Every structure is written in C-alpha cells, then in structure tokens.
Amino acid sequence: MDLTGEHKPTIISVGVGGHYKSGIDRLERSLYYEGWAGDMKFWRNEYPFGCPEHGGDGQYNFKVYAFNEQFVKGTKVVVWADASFFCVHNPMPLFDYVNVNGLYFFKSGYSLAQTATDRLLEYAGVKRDELIDVSEFATGLVGINIDNPNGKKFFEEWHRYMQDGMFGGNRVHDEADSKDPIFLFSREDQSAASMILYKMGIKTCGEENDFQAYKNTGYNPEKILFFIG
C-alpha cells in the first residue's frame, strides 16, 4: 500500500478520562516502535469536532465522528483501535486488507441475537430468532476504505444508525433493552455495526487473518498485530 501520498492511511483513537489517555499514549508509542509509517490521529481528553459527550443514546458516537473527520480531510483508508490496544507488529498487513476489501472487523464471540436491543431490532426490521447464528463483530479494531463500495455503504449506514440514536443500551443486562431470554446485554455501536454487516450480507471481514487483538499475549505472538490490556 502506498504511504507516499498526501493523505496517508491513518490509525485513529479517542481517549477521554481515566486511564484512556494513558492507553492512547501507549498505543502511539507501540506504533512508532513497530515502524508504522502511516499517519496517526488521536484525541486525548477531547472529542472529535462536534461530537457530543459519551453517554445515553450517544454512546461511542465518537468513533463515527473520528472516522468522518478523517474522511472529510480526504483520507481514504482509516483504522480505529481502542485505547486499550497496543501494537506488537507493524499493522501494514491490516491496512493492505482494508485497502483491497473495504472493511475489517473481527468477531466478538457473541451472536447478534444476544446483544441487539428490541429497539435496534425494530429499527432494522429484523427478528431476534433469525440472528441466533449470526456473529456479532467487535468494534475495538475497525478498518474502513471509504473509496470501496462496501466501505462507503457500511459507513453511511453506521452514521445513519448513530444519528437515529441506535447506539443506546446498557452494557449489563437490562430488561429495558429486552426481556427476551436470549438477550444478554447491549454492545451499543458494536451491535449496530453488526446489524449493518448482517443486512449487507457480510459474514467475514478478515478476522481469519489473525489481525484481531487478543488479551492472551501468548497466543500466536508471531502473527497477531495487537494485544489488549
């Protein structure tokens, strides 16, 4: 992937309050250490321009705002990494994948039936029973190529779901989100993103390439690009 243009591929993150700013600092140091030659854009103890504070139906809106700010500037390929992530190998293979395929996500281990609120189901026009075997995708590490049809469509939909308040919900079980026995808890922006991918017919987004992050630092250390901690 070309890193010589005016708008280099960019890795982004937001860290507001608590240990999140320190996490951003560690992520930045790790990227430098591993030789990342693209751009980085981090927000420390601030939100992207125009983004409301985290909370309520606006939970994790800052991810969409952060992506959008880069796209408006002309950057085409952008990867988000949570502040809890740190790089252990140069992430260029991940950017190469996003450049070609348009999107990158890795599976969370839950089904979308377990994390979609009743409100999200109604908004999307989907029944919970049809999602039992549908994987939920994590949004701790997300890649989007806005020039790719899949990347463009996904981001436009994620932005719409955000604007319509579909990132709400409780991270612990809350019957206000759903009384269905299958439902466990909401994953806010993550559940919304997974619903969009499902409706787009996308069942895999590159997680089979071991680009995803792991909490177990002993897991396949020669291939994994990021760890969580």
Side-chain angles (χ1 to χ4, degrees):
M1 187 175 180
D2 183 19
L3 294 179
T4 61
E6 180 182 356
H7 300 290
K8 293 181 180 180
T10 303
I11 191 161
I12 60 174
S13 195
V14 175
V16 178
H19 59 271
Y20 294 106
K21 177 184 176 297
S22 297
I24 294 290
D25 293 340
R26 182 184 63 173
L27 173 61
E28 182 179 50
R29 289 194 304 270
S30 71
L31 287 163
Y32 279 125
Y33 184 81
E34 296 300 333
W36 171 238
D39 283 341
M40 294 177 264
K41 173 61 179 177
F42 300 128
W43 291 263
R44 293 172 171 87
N45 285 335
E46 63 175 350
Y47 293 103
F49 179 77
C51 180
E53 289 190 7
H54 176 65
D57 288 340
Q59 297 182 80
Y60 302 100
N61 283 10
F62 53 78
K63 293 186 182 182
V64 176
Y65 274 84
F67 271 109
N68 190 62
E69 187 170 311
Q70 298 309 300
F71 294 146
V72 167
K73 289 179 178 178
T75 307
K76 304 303 183 184
V77 180
V78 181
V79 168
W80 165 281
D82 277 358
S84 59
F85 284 37
F86 60 98
C87 185
V88 293
H89 288 106
N90 193 306
M92 182 53 70
L94 172 58
F95 279 84
D96 287 338
Y97 180 89
V98 176
N99 187 49
V100 172
N101 295 280
L103 288 168
Y104 170 80
F105 288 86
F106 69 90
K107 294 173 182 176
S108 70
Y110 294 101
S111 79
L112 188 49
Q114 294 175 303
T115 71
T117 65
D118 288 349
R119 187 173 175 224
L120 177 60
L121 293 173
E122 181 179 2
Y123 180 84
V126 174
K127 301 294 185 182
R128 191 176 302 279
D129 289 350
E130 69 184 89
L131 301 175
I132 290 175
D133 295 320
V134 174
S135 294
E136 188 206 55
F137 288 90
T139 55
L141 189 64
V142 178
I144 301 175
N145 177 356
I146 201 65
D147 265 0
N148 178 282
N150 279 342
K152 186 174 188 293
K153 181 177 181 180
F154 169 81
F155 185 70
E156 288 175 347
E157 285 295 281
W158 206 26
H159 192 280
R160 179 172 68 86
Y161 274 56
M162 177 200 72
Q163 286 187 314
D164 291 345
M166 290 299 114
F167 287 7
N170 200 324
R171 289 293 295 269
V172 298
H173 183 76
D174 188 339
E175 289 192 350
D177 289 329
S178 180
K179 294 182 180 180
D180 192 299
I182 298 173
F183 177 77
L184 298 179
F185 41 68
S186 173
R187 295 304 299 269
E188 300 100 4
D189 66 299
Q190 186 164 297
S191 301
S194 301
M195 182 67 76
I196 295 162
L197 293 172
Y198 168 68
K199 297 194 75 174
M200 289 177 64
I202 295 176
K203 297 180 179 180
T204 181
C205 285
E207 73 283 347
E208 69 277 6
N209 294 299
D210 276 332
F211 298 150
Q212 66 262 50
Y214 286 91
K215 292 184 178 179
N216 176 8
T217 55
Y219 180 86
N220 202 1
E222 297 305 312
K223 292 185 66 177
I224 299 303
L225 301 180
F226 293 90
F227 285 118
I228 309 171

